């Protein structure tokens, strides 16, 4: 108190000492908000830098000799990418910049997906290099898209396409990205919309294949089949979350593409083990036997275990 009395009035006003004494919590909150306001990135600057970065990346200016990006700066791409992603994440939370920032965040995500399978940067593991996992990045994008979309159909469809149309890095499975999306389908109507949209996308791709050239390149055929299978797995996961187990498995058996029926059974039973009940697994296994499908030894071991214990084993599927 003696120190307060000795403090000049001008200093008390400049430092807001009275406010600090009267309400320290409010004072702290105001200071934190002021700090955030000062640190908020300038959208126009970030937008220009993102456009420039993406353009240079696709033109391979971070790896090939050129006069735009000096050699010494090409390896610095990872710092620029990480900073831009973080800045866009902050800007996406601001109502006036939410839609545009979300769109640029999605473009950055697609770029890093592309860089996971093409020579764009010195590293072929861009998500790992910038220390933002692909799952975390994907979750940011979906979260932002859900917030700014005018209709659920829009962000759900676009999020599904982000999964099936883009590459993954060495440590990410498409199934893991589907699980991230499933978290955002947090009520029955959203899950039902996702199932409907995924089914339509599957049927659309099947129609394209049917109407396309019979002499499609093998790589195109593989991508089309992977596209369909990723969506089919998403349908199984989502319908399982709705408790629609038989519908999910029937859709899988009708649309999933595999070289042999036994391979198809193996994938289905893996999904059932992860997202459904023991009785559903047994039903599908026994139905396959009746159709003359001969399951691999690991499935037979699983069936014997379930028959004894009436539950799934605690160890990973890959251990079979």
């Amino acid at each position: 108190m003696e120190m307060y009395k000795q403090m000049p009035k001008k200093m008390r006003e400049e430092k807001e000492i009275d406010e600090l004494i009267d309400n320290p919590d409010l004072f702290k909150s105001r200071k934190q908000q002021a700090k955030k306001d000062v640190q908020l990135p300038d959208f126009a600057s970030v937008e220009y830098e993102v456009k420039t970065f993406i353009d240079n990346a696709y033109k391979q200016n971070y790896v090939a000799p050129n006069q735009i990006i000096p050699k010494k700066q090409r390896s610095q791409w990872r710092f620029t990418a990480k900073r831009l992603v973080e800045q866009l994440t902050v800007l996406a939370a601001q109502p006036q910049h939410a839609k545009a920032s979300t769109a640029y965040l999605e473009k950055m995500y697609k770029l890093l997906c592309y860089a996971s399978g093409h020579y764009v940067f010195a590293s072929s593991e861009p998500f790992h290099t910038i220390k933002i996992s692909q799952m975390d990045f994907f979750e940011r994008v979906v979260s932002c898209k859900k917030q700014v979309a005018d209709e659920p159909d829009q962000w759900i469809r676009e999020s599904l396409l982000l999964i099936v149309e883009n590459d993954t890095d060495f440590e990410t499975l498409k199934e893991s990205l589907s699980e991230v999306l499933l978290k955002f389908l947090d009520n029955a109507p959203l899950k039902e919309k996702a199932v409907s949209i995924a089914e339509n996308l599957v049927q659309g791709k099947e129609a394209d294949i049917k109407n396309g050239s019979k002499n499609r390149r093998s790589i195109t055929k593989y991508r089309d089949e992977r596209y369909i299978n990723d969506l089919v797995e998403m349908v199984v996961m989502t319908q399982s979350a709705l408790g629609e187990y038989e519908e999910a498995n029937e859709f899988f058996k009708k649309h999933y593409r595999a070289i042999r029926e036994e391979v198809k059974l193996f994938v289905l039973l893996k999904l059932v083990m992860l997202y459904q009940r023991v009785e559903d697994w047994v039903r599908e296994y026994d139905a396959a036997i009746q159709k003359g499908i001969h399951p691999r030894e690991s499935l037979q071991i699983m069936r014997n275990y379930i028959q004894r214990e009436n539950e799934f084993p605690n160890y990973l599927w890959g251990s079979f």
Side-chain angles (χ1 to χ4, degrees), residues 82-313:
K82 183 176 178 60
R83 174 174 53 78
L84 291 175
V85 169
E86 299 298 350
Q87 289 177 326
L88 287 171
T89 303
V90 171
L91 287 166
Q94 308 302 313
Q96 68 272 32
H97 302 306
K99 282 195 173 183
S101 297
T102 296
Y104 286 124
L105 197 62
E106 182 176 355
K107 289 178 184 292
M108 288 290 291
Y109 175 81
K110 288 180 177 179
L111 169 63
L112 296 188
C113 288
Y114 180 81
S116 296
H118 298 81
Y119 191 47
V120 176
F121 303 115
S123 170
S124 60
E125 303 168 2
F127 292 101
H128 180 76
T129 303
I130 69 170
K131 302 188 185 320
I132 301 176
S133 71
Q134 185 167 0
M135 285 180 61
D136 178 57
F137 202 148
F138 179 71
E139 185 168 355
R140 295 190 197 192
V141 174
V142 175
S143 178
C144 292
K145 291 178 76 66
K146 184 177 181 179
Q147 293 297 321
V148 303
D150 296 323
E151 296 291 338
D153 298 58
Q154 179 186 353
W155 71 265
I156 292 173
R157 186 179 190 278
E158 290 175 356
S159 297
L160 284 168
L161 292 176
L162 277 179
I163 295 174
V164 301
E165 291 185 343
N166 292 282
D167 293 328
T168 55
D169 65 9
F170 72 104
E171 60 183 5
T172 305
L173 299 173
K174 292 291 183 76
E175 182 182 295
S176 300
L177 298 177
S178 296
E179 288 178 341
V180 170
L181 176 55
L182 188 57
K183 290 195 307 182
F184 289 94
L185 306 173
D186 50 12
N187 57 52
L190 287 179
K191 290 183 178 68
E192 290 164 357
K193 281 184 181 293
V195 169
S196 176
I197 293 168
E199 288 178 345
N200 288 336
L201 288 171
V202 168
Q203 292 161 5
K205 180 61 70 174
E206 288 174 338
D208 290 343
I209 293 172
K210 184 177 180 180
N211 297 328
S213 171
K214 293 183 178 180
N215 299 317
R216 289 182 305 143
R217 294 193 306 164
S218 58
I219 188 170
T220 302
K221 181 180 179 181
Y222 171 79
R223 287 177 177 171
D224 287 345
E225 290 181 349
R226 186 68 262 175
Y227 176 103
I228 290 173
N229 288 349
D230 289 337
L231 287 168
V232 170
E233 290 184 16
M234 183 66 191
V235 169
V236 173
M237 293 166 59
T238 310
Q239 285 195 304
S240 296
L242 288 166
E244 300 172 353
Y245 306 119
E246 291 189 35
E247 295 91 335
N249 299 343
E250 287 306 312
F251 186 82
F252 178 95
K253 286 181 278 188
K254 182 178 180 180
H255 296 282
Y256 193 88
R257 295 182 173 233
I259 298 174
R260 301 188 308 275
E261 286 299 313
E262 194 281 333
V263 173
K264 196 170 179 177
L265 174 66
F266 178 83
V267 177
L268 173 60
L269 292 179
K270 177 182 176 182
L271 290 169
V272 172
M273 179 182 175
L274 291 173
Y275 304 107
Q276 298 183 21
R277 306 165 301 182
V278 169
E279 53 264 41
D280 302 305
W281 195 99
V282 173
R283 183 187 70 244
E284 296 300 337
Y285 182 96
D286 291 349
I289 293 292
Q290 292 177 5
K291 290 180 179 179
I293 300 173
H294 183 68
R296 66 191 64 183
E297 184 179 1
S298 63
L299 294 180
Q300 297 175 37
I301 294 172
M302 173 75 86
R303 179 66 176 89
N304 292 334
Y305 180 94
I306 291 173
Q307 190 169 16
R308 288 194 318 270
E309 307 294 338
N310 196 33
E311 64 179 11
F312 292 127

